[in-house]
Amino acid sequence: MASVVELRRDYDLTDIPRIVRCAGQLGLLEALFVLLLSLITRYTDGPVETVVLAIVLVIGLALVSGLPGTWTRARTIEGIAGAAGIGLGATVVFLLTDVALLQPIGTYTNRWRELGGSSNWWYHPVWWMVGTFLPWMGAWILANQANRGRRPSIVTMMITAVGFAAVLAVVAILIHFPGASWSLPTFGVAFLPGIAAANVFSGMGRPSAA
């Protein structure tokens, strides 16, 4: 009976075929966004580059952070862990695509490679960690939303996370944190503690009685 109930459950969907399929989809999506970012960096400059990069970056962060938790319909630690698993698997797909296709076709400019550490031995482990962390935090936020009687929303998640990231970036700049400046990379780095802060914020309040 327990197995029948488990199969009919419409949340915390973490069966292996789903995780593998979603990881492949997310990894290819990540590769597409990296390609877009590298092309924008190559063919634009100045304010246009900054604005277009910011738009694409925020959309990419939203999809990477939010889609895994949506795909697993995360409600408990099972669905949250499944989303992190999708993120981890996606980094493998992306890294294979990156080494086999993106780097050889020469889309990267020097600036883009510098942002990636100019070495796969630095760049890829960081991608692996970030690519797992963001879906983990995102799924946790979506689960908190649902458990408090609200409809899980990637938009709401991003508004909160971007808000915290912006505040943290400004604070880092004002206290002269090493490397912090009025730039898009500073915001990108600040998004990591920003989404963690958004997760803590989403967990505040009284859970839904349901």
Side-chain angles (χ1 to χ4, degrees), residues 1-9:
M1 174 66 75
S3 61
V4 173
V5 173
E6 184 75 14
L7 288 173
R8 291 180 179 176
R9 189 174 62 185

Side-chain angles (χ1 to χ4, degrees), residues 61-82:
L61 289 172
L63 296 179
V64 171
S65 302
L67 284 180
T70 300
W71 287 334
T72 64
R73 292 181 57 83
R75 296 295 182 272
T76 70
I77 195 64
E78 174 72 16
I80 295 169

Side-chain angles (χ1 to χ4, degrees), residues 42-85:
R42 177 179 290 275
Y43 293 113
T44 63
D45 206 349
V48 173
E49 178 188 10
T50 301
V51 170
V52 178
L53 277 176
I55 294 171
V56 175
L57 177 63
V58 169
I59 294 173
L61 289 172
L63 296 179
V64 171
S65 302
L67 284 180
T70 300
W71 287 334
T72 64
R73 292 181 57 83
R75 296 295 182 272
T76 70
I77 195 64
E78 174 72 16
I80 295 169

Side-chain angles (χ1 to χ4, degrees), residues 55-146:
I55 294 171
V56 175
L57 177 63
V58 169
I59 294 173
L61 289 172
L63 296 179
V64 171
S65 302
L67 284 180
T70 300
W71 287 334
T72 64
R73 292 181 57 83
R75 296 295 182 272
T76 70
I77 195 64
E78 174 72 16
I80 295 169
I86 291 173
L88 177 60
T91 64
V92 176
V93 175
F94 166 76
L95 298 179
L96 291 174
T97 306
D98 182 53
V99 171
L101 180 62
L102 297 183
Q103 293 185 30
I105 65 177
T107 60
Y108 291 4
T109 64
N110 289 335
R111 284 178 296 166
W112 185 251
R113 284 196 63 81
E114 288 170 3
L115 287 174
S118 299
S119 168
N120 288 333
W121 293 107
W122 186 94
Y123 168 43
H124 285 175
V126 170
W127 192 278
W128 159 64
M129 290 183 284
V130 172
T132 306
F133 178 77
L134 291 179
W136 178 40
M137 289 292 101
W140 211 326
I141 293 171
L142 295 175
N144 283 338
Q145 291 175 353

